[in-house]
Amino acid sequence: MCSRVWFVTDRRISQEYPQVQILRALKERCADEDVEFRSLLMDQIVLTISEGQLGLRVDQELVTSYPQVVVVRVPTPWVQSDSDITVLRHLEKMGCRLINRPQAILNCVNKFWTFQELAGHGVPLPDTFSYGGHDNFRKMIDEAEPLGYPVVVKNARGHRGKAVFLARDKHHLTDLCHLIRHDTPYLFQEYVKESHGRDVRVVLVGGRVIGSMLRCSTDGRMQSNCSLGGVGMMCPLSEQGKQLAIEVSNILGMDVCGIDLLQLNDGSFVVCEANANVGFIAFDQACGMDVAGIVADFALSMLPSRLTRKMSLLSVVSSTSETSSEPEVCSVPNGGGSLPEAVCNMSMGSTSSESDPELAEPSQSSPRQSTAPTLPNLSDLPDPAYNFNTLLANEIKLLTE
């Protein structure tokens, strides 16, 4: 069966940096790996149910060859369940592996929906209130008093730091009530004073942290988004921060995402927001990384043929280990010293339909850029059995990274 990958995005954001770069990377990777590739805009796709079977039409032509993997980029602040999500659900029900899946995208469409998903899992969150109805902002002026002042007020569907306010007191909230649009609900959130004007953006692909970036406001405002004039700089992230970002990504079911963290005085973190359509222009510029290339590599790794190969190698390694009668030990080359550890460069950025750059950590070099290893002397090589298992383990590592 021929391997096929599609890239589906929205016409409104198709010319923005993240979409352009992901399209480039997918074209390159698919050409190199002899994978059939197609790029489509959401409004080109027509959904069909004929004779009880799901189908697709594109530009008035019946689609007969469906993709195994579809990389999706939709403007989450504008996503409508009756249009964009309907297309994605259709593709998923046809057996396509979507990156990200429809439910994961919905989990991040509304900031309060995100917190609803994370609540009950032990994830540290600032206290947050919201309401039903479209015109109940005024009643929250009294209801939100337990959060104290100042209090953070956010449009539940806002993005890039827009429609976010820091209300000083009850009178300020009353003034905001007359100024804001009431077409979507707002949420009221506990103010984390020690993180005013700065946060950490963590970017994850395939459940792994690929980068982190510290974002700082340059004008004293609370928001640190680079699209509002903030600056981003690469910085290391603590193990607690990494594990928290991974946990949030897993709970929300996201393959590619940006998690925004607020840091407390003791160095710990609380979750601020999650972005399913994370931007990365600032990250790429600041850290010299190719996030789009990492996304493309992950997409190809999800093809059934690649997954089958991984499982086959794991099976061989398991069988070999079970038949080994003695433990295998890797001897240290003459001269001692420890084996080098892989360092993962972490960084990130923004300016797409969702948010902005965040913190970046050092990340692993791409296999395409790695230099050829120095061959060891034959006298330093372990026994053949060890060599065989090591080669298999290395192959699996390359496949899963």
Side-chain angles (χ1 to χ4, degrees):
M1 179 176 63
C2 178
S3 296
R4 298 183 186 87
V5 172
W6 283 9
F7 177 52
V8 176
T9 189
D10 189 287
R11 189 178 298 275
R12 292 169 292 181
I13 63 170
S14 62
Q15 298 306 308
E16 294 183 6
Y17 178 87
Q19 287 67 250
V20 171
Q21 293 303 311
I22 290 176
L23 176 59
R24 167 198 59 79
L26 285 171
K27 283 183 176 178
E28 292 176 356
R29 301 301 197 272
C30 288
D32 291 344
E33 302 293 336
D34 195 26
V35 173
E36 187 178 313
F37 175 72
R38 187 172 190 179
S39 175
L40 291 171
L41 297 174
M42 193 73 73
D43 56 24
Q44 291 180 277
I45 301 174
V46 174
L47 313 176
T48 67
I49 301 178
S50 299
E51 299 181 355
Q53 299 298 317
L54 299 176
L56 296 172
R57 295 181 66 86
V58 174
D59 296 334
Q60 299 184 344
E61 293 185 3
L62 179 67
V63 176
T64 57
S65 301
Y66 304 124
Q68 290 93 15
V69 174
V70 180
V71 178
V72 178
R73 292 285 295 190
V74 293
T76 48
W78 311 322
V79 164
Q80 298 296 323
S81 297
D82 289 341
S83 54
D84 298 330
I85 295 298
T86 300
V87 173
L88 302 184
R89 279 171 48 86
H90 199 86
L91 290 168
E92 187 173 53
K93 287 184 176 297
M94 292 180 70
C96 304
R97 174 61 165 88
L98 270 60
I99 302 171
N100 289 309
R101 294 181 172 95
Q103 187 57 54
I105 294 173
L106 282 175
N107 288 341
C108 296
V109 164
N110 180 303
K111 299 179 190 302
F112 199 73
W113 293 358
T114 301
F115 274 38
Q116 286 175 327
E117 292 296 319
L118 298 177
H121 290 275
V123 174
L125 305 167
D127 290 348
T128 305
F129 294 1
S130 191
Y131 55 91
H134 287 286
D135 197 18
N136 285 331
F137 187 99
R138 182 176 295 278
K139 81 173 184 181
M140 293 301 297
I141 295 176
D142 294 323
E143 295 289 352
E145 281 194 8
L147 296 173
Y149 290 98
V151 63
V152 178
V153 182
K154 297 181 181 180
N155 185 308
R157 278 181 172 253
H159 67 294
R160 294 183 178 178
K162 299 174 183 177
V164 177
F165 313 94
L166 183 62
R168 299 182 300 273
D169 50 37
K170 196 170 184 177
H171 298 295
H172 193 188
L173 269 183
T174 302
D175 292 339
L176 284 176
C177 184
H178 298 293
L179 297 174
I180 64 172
R181 297 177 58 183
H182 295 276
D183 51 344
T184 57
Y186 279 72
L187 58 82
F188 297 73
Q189 195 168 78
E190 175 187 2
Y191 173 51
V192 182
K193 182 178 180 180
E194 51 263 60
S195 192
H196 183 100
R198 62 185 176 89
D199 66 4
V200 172
R201 166 65 64 82
V202 187
V203 176
L204 300 94
V205 177
R208 300 177 63 183
V209 173
I210 66 163
S212 56
M213 179 179 292
L214 175 65
R215 300 188 305 176
C216 297
S217 169
T218 57
D219 57 6
R221 75 173 76 196
M222 179 180 62
Q223 303 96 302
S224 58
N225 303 66
C226 292
S227 59
L228 297 178
V231 296
M233 59 199 78
M234 185 172 66
C235 74
L237 182 63
S238 68
E239 188 61 29
Q240 186 254 343
K242 294 177 187 177
Q243 292 305 317
L244 176 58
I246 291 171
E247 182 181 10
V248 171
S249 173
N250 290 340
I251 292 171
L252 298 176
M254 294 193 288
D255 297 305
V256 179
C257 63
I259 308 299
D260 298 344
L261 303 178
L262 304 177
Q263 189 167 27
L264 306 180
N265 286 334
D266 62 2
S268 63
F269 294 95
V270 296
V271 176
C272 178
E273 294 178 7
N275 306 287
N277 199 52
V278 62
F280 47 82
I281 183 172
F283 170 69
D284 278 356
Q285 292 173 342
C287 307
M289 289 185 65
D290 181 16
V291 173
I294 297 173
V295 172
D297 288 336
F298 173 71
L300 266 64
S301 76
M302 298 307 295
L303 287 167
S305 58
R306 307 296 178 87
L307 294 173
T308 300
R309 186 183 179 197
K310 292 178 189 177
M311 294 305 298
S312 297
L313 286 169
L314 288 170
S315 177
V316 171
V317 170
S318 176
S319 299
T320 304
S321 300
E322 290 174 0
T323 56
S324 298
S325 57
E326 298 180 1
E328 297 157 335
V329 180
C330 177
S331 59
V332 177
N334 294 335
S338 59
L339 296 175
E341 295 181 344
V343 178
C344 181
N345 289 327
M346 306 179 61
S347 50
M348 113 171 206
S350 102
T351 67
S352 167
S353 58
E354 247 224 69
S355 8
D356 315 304
E358 335 263 44
L359 101 252
E361 289 187 337
S363 110
Q364 290 181 342
S365 301
S366 166
R368 297 168 181 267
Q369 300 174 338
S370 60
T371 57
T374 303
L375 294 176
N377 295 327
L378 292 177
S379 59
D380 291 330
L381 290 175
D383 63 88
Y386 170 80
N387 252 356
F388 177 67
N389 286 338
T390 301
L391 289 172
L392 288 173
N394 288 339
E395 177 68 1
I396 293 173
K397 183 179 179 182
L398 289 173
L399 287 170
T400 56
E401 287 183 343

